[in-house]
Each structure stands twice: as C-alpha cells, then as structure tokens.
Amino acid sequence: MKISDIKVYPAWVGHRNLCLVKVETDEGIYGWGESGLSSRELAVAGAVKHFREFLIGRDARNIGALWQEMYRSQYFEGGRVLTAAISAIDIALWDIAGKALNVPTYQLLGGKQRNEIPLFVTSTKPMGQALLDDFRALREQGWEVIRATTGEHGSPTEPTTFDVRKSIAAAAGSLKEIRQELGEELVLGIDYHHRLSVAETASFCQKLGEGVLDFLEEPIRDQSVTAYQGLRKIVNVPFAIGEEFASKWDFLPHIENDLTNFARIDVCNVGGLTEAMKVAAMAESHYIDIMPHDPLGPVCTAATIQMCAAVPNLSWCEIAPYDSNKSDHDKYFINRPKEVNRVYPVGDAPGIGIDVNEEMIAEQSFKFWEAPRLYKPDGSYTNW
C-alpha cells in the first residue's frame, strides 16, 4: 500500500486555525492527522510539503521507519516545527493502518484497556467570585477534576498587564477558598502557563499551604531541567509538565529525574502516536500517569483517545474550554468525539474514528493569528 499523495490544510475553523493533513494511498484508503503548533501553521505546512517529496511511493504501513526518516533526514534533527509536521503525518498513517485492517487504531497500539476516557475541565474565569461561582457550577454538573487558569488572557492588539505578585496572591486566595468550599474530593489544579520564575513558584505554593492543589501545571518555562530540579527541592506540589515537548528526548530528563508527576503529552506536537506511546511507556516505568494536552481540533482529540484507550497509566484527558459552541465542528468533521457525562466513550470505528469534510475544509481560508501578549508592569514582555 503506497502513499500516493499528502495534502495539508491550514484553515480557520471555529475560533482558530487548524492544520490538518490528509495522507492518501494507491488502494484508496486515506488517513487524517493534525498538527499542534498553533499560530505557526504555515511553517508546519511547509515542512509537510518537504516530507511529501520523499514519502510519495513509500509503503504507508512502515510507520516507524517513516518516522525515523522524517525526523533524521534533514540532518538538523527535531524542533517543534518539524515534529508538529511529523505528528500530523504519523497520526494519518496510524489512521490508515486501522482502516486497512478494519480495526480501531488502539487495537494496533496494544488493545483497549478502558471503555471510557476520564476528562478534566477548565475554568477560564478570573480569580475571585467569578471563579468560585464557575467552579461551583462545574462541580454541580458532576465534574470531579477541575483546572483553573490565571485569568489574564489579553490579545495581540490589546496587550494585557500581568503583575505576577498580584496574580499569585489572588490565585492563592481563590484556590484556598475553592478547596474549603468544595471539599477534599475535588481534584484541583491550576495552569500557570510557564509565567512564573522558580522563586515566584515557590512563593505561590507557600501562600497556598499544604493540601490545596492536586497539580500545578507548567509553572516555569521548560527548557531548563536544572531549574525544575531546583524547584522540586523547595515545592512539594505535583507538577504537570510536557505539553510543549517535541520528542521523547524532551521528556526523558523530566521523567528520569521524577520532575513531572503528570506527563502532559500532546500527540500533535510530540511526534504523533508513534512517539506518544514511547513517552507513555517511559512514564509508566516511573509510575507516572499521562495527562494528555488536547486544546486543538477534533482530529487531535480522536487520536488522543486512541492513545488513552491503549495505555495503562492514564489520569485524565483535557477537554478544551476555549470554544464553547462546538456544533459548528459538525459541518467539518464526521463522527467527531463528543463528551458524554464527563468522559469520552471509546468507540470501535476503524482507524482513529473520525473523518473530515475535505471540500468544506479546503474552502476555509487561513487567518493570521497571534497568541495574546502579556507585559509586566515595567513594560517588559512575559509569557502568555
């Protein structure tokens, strides 16, 4: 079964650009994948076109070998643009493999270990009464794992000031109030989106006190392992790290040194299902559960479900809060995953279980979009 074409569609769908990739074969079987490098989709599309040049005519079933060649063929290995492109192609190849054998992809990854994928939900409300009210409403809906954000969102055209000391003071107060009101059974986390320094993270955790947080996500930037080692020595809150990692090698020191307690694998950034399953196995060897990152489109979700179904070490999968009206997606995606009673049911459709209305996607234009801009009170740039 030979690859006959690879098409890439960077297109505005709903509230954001999606970068979808279709791999076609000479037997008429095709697969869909998705890239996760938000706001740099055209760079990924360019990488996909480079890969296409030598993938045409290759056996679509040799997924691992094709992964190695894509990763290593340009001599300058790795990087988030390249692995985002590899991720999309890899997912599409696994989709093809499942369809060719008429089985869900998870059967090819070791088989189903669970019937449903537990989810966590996110509140994006600002700290204070609005956040407490939203948490209360989500808890009443039955959500057992709820994550807060810092509440500062900003925009590229209207930059927002991020005062870190005010932020950690407000977050500590709000989270303590939430824990006190909603009790110990709630799994409570916060995503700080790598906006803190080591000292600021330590200060934040000290203000919280013992037992308030079940996980702290991405408190500092991820490039320095030694910074996380230093932080680990002075903070005892479990860390959820890894959504930006672009390979098993990125994950390796954080797993080997027990720096991440929940591995935030993103199948659309880490290198697809091929690489994600290796990271999950590495995490399992250290008794670390995976906590997949999934804020993207339905193809990403469908692929993530396949991984989650097949691994033993799963905590919860993310359900994106950022696009409240997803009914629009039904025009573009066929059999897209839908949350049912706070879980994703594990289906039995062949491949990753989703199809794409290619004609409609092809008609969608690409829109340049930048992530929100945050600045410190002194005017210097900080992370969104």
Side-chain angles (χ1 to χ4, degrees), residues 44-73:
V44 175
V48 170
K49 291 176 182 178
H50 280 285
F51 292 141
R52 177 187 181 275
E53 290 301 302
F54 65 81
L55 290 175
I56 299 295
R58 306 295 290 276
D59 192 331
R61 297 168 296 185
N62 293 334
I63 303 173
L66 295 179
W67 193 100
Q68 290 292 329
E69 189 166 346
M70 284 188 286
Y71 189 85
R72 295 157 65 183
S73 59

Side-chain angles (χ1 to χ4, degrees), residues 1-157:
M1 184 165 52
K2 307 298 185 183
I3 296 173
S4 58
D5 201 2
I6 300 176
K7 300 174 180 176
V8 58
Y9 295 100
W12 190 267
V13 179
H15 74 299
R16 68 188 308 161
N17 288 307
L18 299 180
C19 189
L20 302 176
V21 169
K22 184 185 184 186
V23 177
E24 298 177 345
T25 69
D26 59 0
E27 294 186 12
I29 301 173
Y30 61 85
W32 284 96
E34 184 175 352
S35 157
L37 197 64
S38 299
S39 82
R40 299 296 180 261
E41 294 85 2
L42 295 184
V44 175
V48 170
K49 291 176 182 178
H50 280 285
F51 292 141
R52 177 187 181 275
E53 290 301 302
F54 65 81
L55 290 175
I56 299 295
R58 306 295 290 276
D59 192 331
R61 297 168 296 185
N62 293 334
I63 303 173
L66 295 179
W67 193 100
Q68 290 292 329
E69 189 166 346
M70 284 188 286
Y71 189 85
R72 295 157 65 183
S73 59
Q74 56 277 313
Y75 177 73
F76 297 99
E77 297 179 2
R80 290 183 171 106
V81 172
L82 294 177
T83 54
I86 292 170
S87 297
I89 295 171
D90 181 86
I91 290 166
L93 292 174
W94 280 107
D95 191 22
I96 288 169
K99 290 174 179 176
L101 297 171
N102 197 35
V103 296
T105 294
Y106 62 72
Q107 294 290 4
L108 307 179
L109 301 176
K112 183 172 66 172
Q113 301 214 29
R114 53 186 54 82
N115 297 319
E116 58 190 32
I117 310 302
L119 302 173
F120 73 86
V121 70
T122 302
S123 173
T124 60
K125 301 297 183 182
M127 294 296 163
Q129 191 62 46
L131 185 70
L132 177 60
D133 291 343
D134 198 36
F135 261 75
R136 188 185 296 117
L138 291 168
R139 194 73 177 97
E140 289 173 355
Q141 294 169 23
W143 289 99
E144 299 177 349
V145 187
I146 310 176
R147 178 185 69 172
T149 63
T150 62
E152 299 90 356
H153 303 297
S155 76
T157 56

Side-chain angles (χ1 to χ4, degrees), residues 89-351:
I89 295 171
D90 181 86
I91 290 166
L93 292 174
W94 280 107
D95 191 22
I96 288 169
K99 290 174 179 176
L101 297 171
N102 197 35
V103 296
T105 294
Y106 62 72
Q107 294 290 4
L108 307 179
L109 301 176
K112 183 172 66 172
Q113 301 214 29
R114 53 186 54 82
N115 297 319
E116 58 190 32
I117 310 302
L119 302 173
F120 73 86
V121 70
T122 302
S123 173
T124 60
K125 301 297 183 182
M127 294 296 163
Q129 191 62 46
L131 185 70
L132 177 60
D133 291 343
D134 198 36
F135 261 75
R136 188 185 296 117
L138 291 168
R139 194 73 177 97
E140 289 173 355
Q141 294 169 23
W143 289 99
E144 299 177 349
V145 187
I146 310 176
R147 178 185 69 172
T149 63
T150 62
E152 299 90 356
H153 303 297
S155 76
T157 56
E158 297 179 5
T160 295
T161 298
F162 177 70
D163 188 323
V164 66
R165 303 310 304 188
K166 291 181 179 178
S167 175
I168 63 177
S174 291
L175 293 170
K176 285 191 287 187
E177 188 175 6
I178 287 168
R179 174 62 76 195
Q180 183 174 9
E181 176 163 333
L182 299 184
E184 297 298 326
E185 291 186 2
L186 174 70
V187 177
L188 174 60
I190 184 171
D191 179 7
Y192 245 104
H193 233 234
H194 50 254
R195 293 175 189 166
L196 304 180
S197 68
V198 171
E200 290 160 353
T201 304
S203 177
F204 171 59
C205 292
Q206 289 163 0
K207 291 178 187 300
L208 279 170
E210 295 282 343
V212 174
L213 277 185
D214 292 295
F215 64 86
L216 172 57
E217 183 180 344
E218 311 285 353
I220 65 175
R221 292 160 67 188
D222 66 20
Q223 292 93 340
S224 174
V225 175
T226 56
Y228 258 116
Q229 288 173 327
L231 183 59
R232 180 77 289 167
K233 293 176 183 177
I234 54 178
V235 168
N236 61 3
V237 176
F239 292 146
I241 306 170
E243 67 184 51
E244 295 180 278
F245 292 166
S247 72
K248 54 184 168 287
W249 295 287
D250 286 349
F251 268 100
L252 183 62
H254 292 81
I255 291 175
E256 286 189 330
N257 292 286
D258 299 312
L259 300 178
T260 183
N261 307 106
F262 297 98
R264 294 282 281 142
I265 300 172
D266 187 326
V267 297
C268 293
N269 281 321
V270 79
L273 287 167
T274 296
E275 193 78 340
M277 291 299 291
K278 294 176 183 179
V279 174
M282 289 163 50
E284 182 192 0
S285 71
H286 283 250
Y287 309 126
I288 295 169
D289 286 344
I290 70 169
M291 184 179 172
H293 179 245
D294 178 22
L296 302 171
V299 174
C300 176
T301 300
T304 302
I305 288 171
Q306 303 302 309
M307 172 184 63
C308 291
V311 301
N313 52 324
L314 172 70
S315 54
W316 320 276
C317 182
E318 179 174 359
I319 183 169
Y322 311 109
D323 188 9
S324 58
N325 182 15
K326 293 185 178 181
S327 59
D328 193 46
H329 281 172
D330 290 327
K331 298 187 300 184
Y332 303 102
F333 301 97
I334 301 160
N335 196 37
R336 70 175 177 89
K338 296 182 180 180
E339 172 259 329
V340 179
N341 296 325
R342 298 160 300 284
V343 303
Y344 285 136
V346 177
D348 56 6

